[in-house]
Amino acid sequence: MRSILLIEDIRIERSRAFAKRNRSGAAALTAASPEEAILLCDCRLIESGIESVLHLAASLQKADAVLLAVPPSGYRDLLPLIRNRRSVPVLWWCDEKTFPPGESADLGQLDGLIGPGMNFRQLQSSMALALGRHTGRNRREEEKSDAGVRLQERQWIDRAKRIVIDARKISETEAYAFLRKQAMDQRRRMADVALAIVKRAELPQKRHPGDEN
């Protein structure tokens, strides 16, 4: 991760002062704020206040990940907005200000969690885990989507077979062979041929003069 977008609730008062530290001792340093956590990992910091959430699209395009420094009620609202704009790992900065007593947090929708006191290696490990979790989430969503598409295609083929059976007075095996031959002759997928047959069958039939009302 080279650039991280920090979305912070401006109502949370936090020291913006950075201690002057020797970069050669980075392994021993710990982060006291979300800004320090990002910079300690040698990532570019992109900042955005929670009040500008509707204008996140441009900032998200520059970011490899998002760090939310907001209470649980805030990140529950932000997550759909972020993921509808871009698929990136989303981490939560968790401390006494973003997770006060009495709040409940649903961590299942987040990709990672970091907080104060973590050093360079711990932050890097957390971000690597977040990236892996995000990749796995995307893979599961793609598999779920693919399974839905395959199910829909099987339904189109089954409906088309029934239409062909009724129209040609043939068996189910013969109807399947007919669809397969149509697909080969037209150089199209069988599901596409089936969908075309279903749609054609659903079109209102033209009435001819002399048809009974």
Side-chain angles (χ1 to χ4, degrees):
M1 299 180 188
R2 297 182 301 275
S3 301
I4 299 179
L5 172 62
L6 171 63
I7 303 177
E8 190 168 16
D9 191 338
I10 60 172
R11 295 168 297 180
I12 296 178
E13 294 184 3
R14 199 187 305 277
S15 173
R16 306 288 292 187
F18 289 84
K20 292 182 178 179
R21 295 168 169 173
N22 186 345
R23 295 300 300 167
S24 63
L29 302 179
T30 59
S33 69
E35 294 90 348
E36 284 196 353
I38 293 172
L39 296 176
L40 187 58
C41 289
D42 288 328
C43 292
R44 185 166 67 95
L45 170 65
I46 306 171
E47 293 186 87
S48 176
I50 193 173
E51 78 285 352
S52 61
V53 66
L54 296 178
H55 307 286
L56 283 178
S59 297
L60 279 170
Q61 293 305 314
K62 305 173 186 176
D64 300 312
V66 174
L67 177 59
L68 300 176
V70 298
S73 57
Y75 76 63
R76 281 192 289 265
D77 294 335
L78 284 166
L79 280 171
L81 295 173
I82 293 169
R83 287 181 171 146
N84 286 339
R85 286 164 173 78
R86 192 176 182 209
S87 178
V88 293
V90 180
L91 298 95
W92 183 39
W93 174 265
C94 182
D95 61 11
E96 71 281 357
K97 294 180 180 178
T98 60
F99 196 18
E103 285 266 16
S104 60
D106 178 11
L107 303 181
Q109 296 301 311
L110 296 164
D111 296 311
L113 184 72
I114 60 176
M118 297 180 73
N119 61 30
F120 172 79
R121 293 182 63 183
Q122 292 167 335
L123 290 167
Q124 287 282 2
S125 296
S126 293
M127 290 183 180
L129 288 171
L131 180 58
R133 182 180 173 89
H134 171 72
T135 302
R137 186 195 305 278
N138 283 348
R139 186 182 301 115
R140 289 190 297 273
E141 290 177 354
E142 289 174 1
E143 290 172 353
K144 183 178 178 180
S145 177
D146 290 343
V149 170
R150 288 194 297 271
L151 176 61
Q152 182 67 69
E153 289 180 346
R154 284 197 297 270
Q155 291 173 343
W156 289 129
I157 292 172
D158 287 341
R159 290 181 62 184
K161 282 194 301 183
R162 289 195 295 270
I163 293 169
V164 173
I165 289 170
D166 292 341
R168 292 179 169 263
K169 309 302 180 185
I170 58 179
S171 68
E172 182 176 351
T173 301
E174 290 171 324
Y176 185 84
F178 172 82
L179 291 176
R180 185 172 59 183
K181 185 175 186 307
Q182 288 290 306
M184 292 176 61
D185 291 346
Q186 299 175 26
R187 296 184 179 180
R188 298 169 66 190
R189 298 169 60 250
M190 189 185 294
D192 295 333
V193 171
L195 178 57
I197 291 173
V198 171
K199 287 186 174 181
R200 188 162 58 246
E202 291 176 345
L203 290 174
Q205 298 297 317
K206 291 183 179 180
R207 301 181 65 84
H208 299 282
D211 287 349
E212 293 183 0
N213 294 327

